[in-house]
Amino acid sequence: MLITKPNDVLSSEITPESVYLNRRKFVGASGSLLLGGALAACGKTEQAEAKVSEPPSDLAALEFSAVKKDAANPFYTTEALTPYADVARYNNFYEFGTGKDDPYKYASALTTNPWQVKVDGEVAKPGTYNLEDILAKNPLEERIYRLRCVEAWSMVIPWVGFPLGAMLQQFEPTSDAKYVKFETLVRKEEMRGQRSFSSTIDWPYEEGLRMDEAMHPLSFMATGLYGREIPKQNGAPLRLVMPWKYGFKSIKSIVRISFSKRQPATSWQQIAPHEYGFYANVNPEVDHPRWSQASERRLPSSLFEPNRIETRLFNGYAEQVAGLYSGMNLVRYY
Ligand code: MTE
């Protein structure tokens, strides 16, 4: 993967968090409510502030249950949220190009409605599912997770979505389903990175998990962030979020889910197996062959304020997930 500097983000575009945190208070108070309604209740000043700092209003406000703001809740963190402007303008989505702002610039070309997900392999209920039918069965909730990219930058993102395990169970995987694989849409007309002759990826982008990893309560399918539907550059309309793994496992714009007996081939592992493993668990003690993984730049970061912090084993989720790997050599199975 390429390593590049963060874009220069105008300070006027940053900082949704104060507004967002206020809005979360509204949601927390009533358990669950339409954020649009909460905004309407805001005073004039806050509305004005919201204009520069909020996700664009063409992204629909979502109805979801707010995360419980308890420091002991693994679905939450007290760390500062990464401003919306960084979350939505500093991206990896090679289907739209390899530059960090290519997805922001070009993902609007993607049609996300209608959207279907093909489910096949070792499963009792294979088929092609409409996104609305999946959403109807999976109530939305909020999770505030750290995202640690293998390129050694990180963010804290307030996602909206539902547990991956709950959705997978609805397809009724058989006892032969030991792994699950995900694929991103291939649509060259709309995804300019897929038309590029210099692309290293053999499309579709593919990722996979062991079934016990997929069923873990932290594993999440995101359909939104910052209280609104997920921007296209972040993987609309449906993307995986695996908070204890390097970001490349969190595959975007999913159109296919396949259950298998054997470990599936995945994009980055096929491109550079000595650099990117199947497990890709965040581990400060296992360096990437070309750079250290001991620390990370927490965005926003700049030359003068690099905001460098130490990387934690399993991205700080060891208490929840270390048991999945007990007895495994994490250096060998990187
Ligand atoms: N999914 C697809 N389909 N294509 C990609 O290029 N990049 C991955 C992951 N999912 C990628 C993808 C990488 S390397 C990272 S770090 C995260 O998306 C970044 O997610 P974000 O842009 O929402 O921060």
Side-chain angles (χ1 to χ4, degrees), residues 46-54:
E46 193 165 331
Q47 266 182 13
E49 194 186 348
K51 267 190 191 148
V52 279
S53 57
E54 286 295 314

Side-chain angles (χ1 to χ4, degrees), residues 93 95 182-186 191 204-205 251-255:
F93 200 169
E95 283 82 343
F182 304 87
E183 280 179 29
T184 295
L185 177 75
V186 179
M191 298 173 126
Y205 191 103
I251 180 172
K252 297 176 170 183
S253 305
I254 295 167
V255 290

Side-chain angles (χ1 to χ4, degrees), residues 24-226:
R24 280 202 288 157
K25 269 188 223 149
F26 280 107
V27 177
S30 61
S32 158
L33 65 88
L34 203 63
L35 275 175
L39 248 196
C42 292
K44 241 187 174 168
T45 330
E46 193 165 331
Q47 266 182 13
E49 194 186 348
K51 267 190 191 148
V52 279
S53 57
E54 286 295 314
S57 54
D58 57 334
L59 295 174
L62 297 173
E63 194 173 351
F64 60 92
S65 23
V67 67
K68 196 168 160 224
K69 285 180 240 149
D70 169 355
N73 180 2
F75 301 154
Y76 173 73
T77 171
T78 52
E79 288 155 273
L81 298 179
T82 302
Y84 177 80
D86 293 272
V87 173
R89 293 180 77 154
Y90 188 87
N91 299 103
N92 275 336
F93 200 169
Y94 278 26
E95 283 82 343
F96 295 102
T98 54
K100 288 289 180 273
D101 60 351
D102 284 344
Y104 168 76
K105 286 199 291 211
Y106 303 118
S108 57
L110 180 66
T111 312
T112 54
N113 187 11
W115 195 268
Q116 293 184 320
V117 180
K118 182 178 173 185
V119 176
D120 58 6
E122 306 292 343
V123 65
K125 290 187 168 170
T128 300
Y129 291 81
N130 291 326
L131 181 63
E132 302 84 77
D133 297 332
I134 295 175
L135 294 178
K137 288 194 178 140
N138 292 281
L140 298 182
E141 59 184 273
E142 182 184 40
R143 301 275 175 101
I144 302 186
Y145 282 163
R146 293 175 285 278
L147 173 81
R148 167 57 156 90
C149 179
V150 75
E151 298 164 339
W153 52 264
S154 65
M155 303 195 190
V156 177
I157 303 177
W159 300 104
V160 177
F162 48 84
L164 173 66
M167 180 191 73
L168 295 185
Q169 257 163 354
Q170 289 153 14
F171 306 135
E172 298 182 16
T174 69
S175 56
D176 280 336
K178 305 294 180 216
Y179 294 89
V180 57
K181 177 178 160 185
F182 304 87
E183 280 179 29
T184 295
L185 177 75
V186 179
R187 197 182 283 154
K188 291 195 164 92
E189 324 81 83
E190 294 182 355
M191 298 173 126
R192 69 198 315 267
Q194 292 181 339
R195 300 197 293 270
S196 161
F197 294 110
S198 59
S199 166
T200 45
I201 297 178
D202 185 13
W203 312 106
Y205 191 103
E206 297 169 327
E207 259 311 332
L209 299 169
R210 238 173 39 194
M211 273 306 277
D212 59 343
E213 298 180 309
M215 301 310 290
H216 192 279
L218 282 170
S219 305
F220 199 60
M221 292 301 292
T223 60
L225 56 83
Y226 267 105

Side-chain angles (χ1 to χ4, degrees), residues 223-264:
T223 60
L225 56 83
Y226 267 105
R228 288 185 177 264
E229 62 185 12
I230 191 164
K232 292 180 178 176
Q233 60 270 32
N234 292 90
L238 192 64
R239 66 95 47 96
L240 184 64
V241 179
M242 296 299 295
W244 72 93
K245 292 178 177 285
Y246 290 121
F248 67 87
K249 297 297 287 184
S250 294
I251 180 172
K252 297 176 170 183
S253 305
I254 295 167
V255 290
R256 185 171 174 193
I257 301 177
S258 310
F259 297 88
S260 61
K261 286 183 196 155
R262 291 185 208 295
Q263 184 176 307

